[in-house]
Amino acid sequence: MPGPGSRPASEGPIPHLVLANVAKRFPQAASPAVDGVSLELARGEFFALLGPSGCGKTTLLRMLAGFEMPDAGSIRIDGQDMGAVPPYARPVNMMFQSYALFPHMSVADNVGFGLRQAKRPKDEIAARVAAMLDLVKLGALARRKPGQLSGGEKQRVALARALINEPKLLLLDEPLTALDRKLREETRFELVRIQRRVGITFLMVTHDQEEAMSMASRIAVMEKGRIAQIGAPAEVYERPANRFVAGFLGAINLFEARVVAATNDLLTLDSVEIGARLTVTHDRVLPLGTEVALALRPEKLSLARMPDSRWNNSLAGTVRGVAYRGEASDVEIELTCGKIVRATMANIGGARDTLDIGQPIFAGWSGEAGVVLEQ
Amino acid sequence: MTNRLSPFLGTMIIVGFAFLYGPIASVIVYSFNASRLVTVWAGFSTRWYVELLSNDQIRNAALTSFEIALISATGALILGTLAGFVLSRYRRFAGRTIFGGLITGPLVMPEVITGLSLLLLFVALGQAIGWPKERGVLTIAIAHITLGMAYVSVVVEARLSSFDRSLEEAALDLGAKPAKVFAVITLPLIAPALVAGWLLAFTLSLDDLVIASFTSGPSATTLPMVIFSSVRMGVSPQINALATLLLVAVAAAVLIAGRILARTRNSPTT
């Protein structure tokens, strides 16, 4: 497992999976679906391609499986170029969003399909199918047809079927989207556990940032056919590279501002938008006058009736709305300048510290809480 | 909305069904009539069925009809499946609209026109290249194929358009080559539509009179042709018996085809 945010630790001289400037444009499409994507994955990694629909993530996945041919660029697995290799000869298997279970075959026959194509002996197939069904806890349902399974069971059959050929790379297309919410949360842990156990490289495509962050060791956020940022979940969430990434990985408050003072690790920003000076730590000295945005996650904002001495920044406003969520509450605050900001308050005090709508309030944060977005 | 029918609607349904099926019911009832006179009831008897089975002309015509129906249903299945595949899998090619229209054209073309044009074609071909020398089973079968394949292609295209392509991709992904994918995934899953299409084409061929009359020669007389010509001499109770048997065969085929199609539609794959 690579450390957070680090480049994948390559095992040996040949990288495991390399995409170099892969591009694809569909006929009659206005813009390319995939526009020059380069990516490197280490063996055994759980990687997520995250992006809104239409960002090219599924096209990229289909090119890895061999269902689409890239217009330009190359895909290499363990040094072998995949350009002319048809889908049935690639060391890659895929778990489909719809699961694509063969309805006329039993669970065991579905799982054993790949081994039968590889012409393995009958008793070997039977043994490996049984072992794989045990891994996904479906041993008792081997004789059932897919039509008799629940959504979660179908998902596990699809996973078992894709894993049984021991591919070098497993592609997962929105693996949890078809499940209901509770099952989805349980299955996240299950998928990660199985991935650790089999040690196969997993490449997952999803539009759900929570799904990507909770399962993957690294995430690539895609926008309009390009990769906007690659990094460990915490890195992408806490240090987004641009406004798109910041906004896609959860709620965020953005303050447009200009740099008015800069030291080694501290910037002072002047925001005309909210009529206030803000200080923020930043690892780069920016020229004075640079237009930037200060991004602040809702949970980094503290709320209090009086400004706190630990805050480096504080803004006055009134409570505009409160959405109680159980473990936390989302609070909308209207600043004196009219701008709306969002804060999330962990529900520590129970029912005692409730906020009233219209009540005056101060929102504050420390210098480390915000992120300066240069683009 | 209540589930109860209003008296008016109920009456209309009874009148409608009586109008549609009353004549057929009377054919069935009178086929068991003991009297030689078709319209006079003289007690129950199965003598016309017995006479029918010993009637060589009708037996030969029945055999010819079944032979033609078998050939044309099979031919229509092959050509219609190919056409249905092209129409559902290749969404964009030059002349697709015209191709689709021509395939389904025979569904709406007046049978007289189809029959006449095929007759002229066969005559012209016979003069130009010496084939067909004479019209008979083969020419009727060819004519029925043009009609049957239109039905088959519609059924197959409908099935394929609701077919989840990711099933084929999954098989391909798991190591099956394209021909293997077709044999073990596509074919078993569209088989019900193929069976239904075949049965439809078989039934169409079995009860066609107009096209068969145009394209047949002295050597081939189909069952509907025998019925039609003998009715002109006056209705014999034997014909009632024959019509009843034909009705049972056609109803069975349509029922089976409908069942098969309905089962496919309800299956979780679609």
Side-chain angles (χ1 to χ4, degrees):
Chain A
M1 286 279 136
S6 68
R7 269 176 53 85
S10 39
E11 299 181 358
I14 303 168
H16 182 49
L17 170 70
V18 182
L19 282 82
N21 290 313
V22 173
K24 173 82 184 174
R25 180 196 285 267
F26 289 105
Q28 266 116 30
S31 54
V34 175
D35 192 7
V37 167
S38 296
L39 199 59
E40 218 172 282
L41 260 67
R43 189 172 286 107
E45 206 173 349
F46 197 143
F47 193 91
L49 283 171
L50 174 67
S53 60
C55 73
K57 57 191 194 301
T58 301
T59 307
L60 200 58
L61 197 76
R62 291 176 59 81
M63 286 195 281
L64 282 165
F67 300 135
E68 308 284 353
M69 287 295 141
D71 298 337
S74 72
I75 297 170
R76 287 172 171 277
I77 296 176
D78 287 341
Q80 190 200 353
D81 187 64
M82 288 289 129
V85 183
Y88 52 82
R90 292 193 183 201
V92 175
N93 283 127
M94 177 153 163
M95 195 180 124
F96 290 76
Q97 184 176 4
S98 64
Y99 306 142
L101 300 181
F102 307 134
H104 56 306
M105 295 181 194
S106 69
V107 166
D109 286 345
N110 262 285
V111 175
F113 188 86
L115 293 177
R116 289 202 301 280
Q117 303 317 308
K119 305 244 159 36
R120 309 304 308 172
K122 271 218 169 66
D123 39 347
E124 184 197 324
I125 294 178
R128 279 172 69 180
V129 166
M132 192 49 82
L133 285 176
D134 279 347
L135 178 71
V136 297
K137 298 175 188 157
L138 279 179
L141 305 181
R143 300 257 66 86
R144 292 259 188 102
K145 287 279 177 68
Q148 301 164 294
L149 301 179
S150 71
E153 289 162 353
K154 282 184 191 164
Q155 194 255 9
R156 273 138 65 199
V157 176
L159 180 65
R161 188 180 69 177
L163 281 174
I164 200 153
N165 278 14
E166 294 170 0
K168 288 181 177 172
L169 174 65
L170 183 79
L171 307 171
L172 302 102
D173 188 4
E174 305 270 3
L176 306 181
T177 308
L179 304 179
D180 58 51
R181 193 191 163 133
K182 191 166 176 290
L183 195 56
R184 210 153 55 206
E185 284 168 6
E186 293 165 12
T187 311
R188 279 182 202 159
F189 290 103
E190 190 70 9
L191 262 180
V192 172
R193 186 183 68 81
I194 289 173
Q195 194 266 340
R196 293 249 162 94
R197 186 111 158 244
V198 296
I200 291 171
T201 313
F202 275 31
L203 198 159
M204 168 174 82
V205 150
T206 180
H207 66 273
D208 183 333
Q209 82 281 356
E210 233 179 87
E211 210 169 289
M213 290 194 289
S214 59
M215 291 197 283
S217 50
R218 283 199 308 154
I219 297 176
V221 184
M222 284 188 73
E223 183 196 14
K224 292 179 187 152
R226 294 170 167 278
I227 290 181
Q229 189 176 6
I230 301 183
E235 184 186 342
V236 178
Y237 183 79
E238 301 285 351
R239 301 269 149 208
N242 60 34
R243 286 158 209 243
F244 172 78
V245 176
F248 194 75
L249 271 96
I252 199 143
N253 300 303
L254 287 177
F255 302 108
E256 303 296 333
R258 218 157 32 83
V259 179
V260 289
T263 63
N264 263 345
D265 57 352
L266 201 68
L267 295 178
T268 305
L269 309 174
D270 179 45
S271 175
V272 181
E273 191 188 8
I274 51 172
R277 293 217 159 188
L278 307 168
T279 55
V280 60
T281 54
H282 195 52
D283 52 6
R284 246 156 53 83
V285 176
L286 295 176
L288 299 186
T290 313
E291 299 281 344
V292 295
L294 177 71
L296 202 58
R297 295 272 176 214
E299 68 273 16
K300 302 280 199 272
L301 271 174
S302 309
L303 299 179
R305 290 189 168 80
M306 291 305 294
D308 193 300
S309 58
R310 286 165 297 174
W311 296 349
N312 301 97
N313 305 283
S314 89
L315 298 168
T318 52
V319 175
R320 189 165 176 267
V322 181
Y324 180 71
R325 281 199 284 117
E327 83 271 23
S329 294
D330 293 327
V331 185
E332 265 190 344
I333 296 146
E334 186 169 351
L335 301 180
T336 31
C337 64
K339 187 180 170 72
I340 312 283
V341 296
R342 216 168 120 182
T344 301
M345 282 201 327
N347 195 6
I348 302 163
R352 280 176 292 122
D353 47 63
T354 51
L355 290 170
D356 298 320
I357 292 181
Q359 131 185 19
I361 197 104
F362 285 91
W365 66 93
S366 72
E368 294 86 42
V371 181
V372 173
L373 301 178
E374 295 174 33
Q375 40 172 319
Chain B
M1 282 287 288
T2 70
N3 285 327
R4 280 185 57 110
L5 284 174
S6 72
F8 174 74
L9 274 180
T11 318
M12 288 312 285
I13 284 176
I14 292 167
V15 170
F17 274 124
F19 180 74
L20 285 173
Y21 294 106
I24 294 175
S26 83
V27 165
I28 295 173
V29 169
Y30 280 106
S31 75
F32 295 104
N33 190 357
S35 163
R36 177 164 291 279
L37 293 165
V38 174
T39 47
V40 180
W41 182 255
F44 180 86
S45 154
T46 53
R47 65 183 270 218
W48 304 117
Y49 286 90
V50 178
E51 273 189 33
L52 182 71
L53 292 178
S54 55
N55 184 331
D56 281 347
Q57 192 203 4
I58 285 181
R59 220 178 42 213
N60 288 337
L63 286 177
T64 309
S65 268
F66 273 100
E67 187 188 348
I68 291 169
L70 275 177
I71 298 171
S72 64
T74 309
L77 178 71
I78 295 167
L79 292 177
T81 304
L82 292 174
F85 245 95
V86 170
L87 285 175
S88 85
R89 289 290 162 88
Y90 300 91
R91 287 273 149 215
R92 230 180 248 131
F93 61 86
R96 186 186 182 278
T97 317
I98 295 176
F99 180 70
L102 288 179
I103 290 288
T104 48
L107 292 178
V108 291
M109 191 107 69
E111 286 188 318
V112 177
I113 310 284
T114 309
L116 184 64
S117 60
L118 281 164
L119 171 65
L120 294 176
L121 173 76
F122 289 136
V123 170
L125 272 178
Q127 283 167 353
I129 60 169
W131 180 94
K133 268 202 194 69
E134 64 167 10
R135 294 183 296 285
V137 170
L138 188 64
T139 50
I140 300 175
I142 290 172
H144 282 174
I145 285 173
T146 61
L147 190 63
M149 72 175 279
Y151 283 85
V152 174
S153 72
V154 168
V155 171
V156 171
E157 190 196 349
R159 177 66 187 97
L160 282 174
S161 65
S162 66
F163 189 92
D164 183 3
R165 291 296 296 275
S166 64
L167 291 174
E168 292 173 332
E169 287 178 345
L172 213 57
D173 184 64
L174 289 164
K177 296 201 170 96
K180 186 83 184 285
V181 173
F182 182 79
V184 300
I185 304 294
T186 317
L187 206 53
L189 291 178
I190 66 165
L194 298 185
V195 173
W198 189 90
L199 281 171
L200 276 178
F202 186 84
T203 317
L204 278 172
S205 167
L206 205 60
D207 68 15
D208 167 71
L209 169 67
V210 178
I211 296 175
S213 305
F214 275 103
T215 53
S216 80
S219 65
T221 311
T222 64
L223 210 48
M225 288 161 75
V226 168
I227 297 175
F228 187 67
S229 59
S230 62
V231 164
R232 275 188 303 189
M233 314 288 174
V235 183
S236 142
Q238 265 189 52
I239 298 302
N240 279 346
L242 178 60
T244 304
L245 290 181
L246 213 53
L247 205 67
V248 170
V250 169
V254 171
L255 218 66
I256 294 170
R259 270 284 172 81
I260 291 172
L261 277 180
R263 210 175 52 198
T264 329
R265 224 165 281 136
N266 296 337
S267 79
T269 49
T270 52

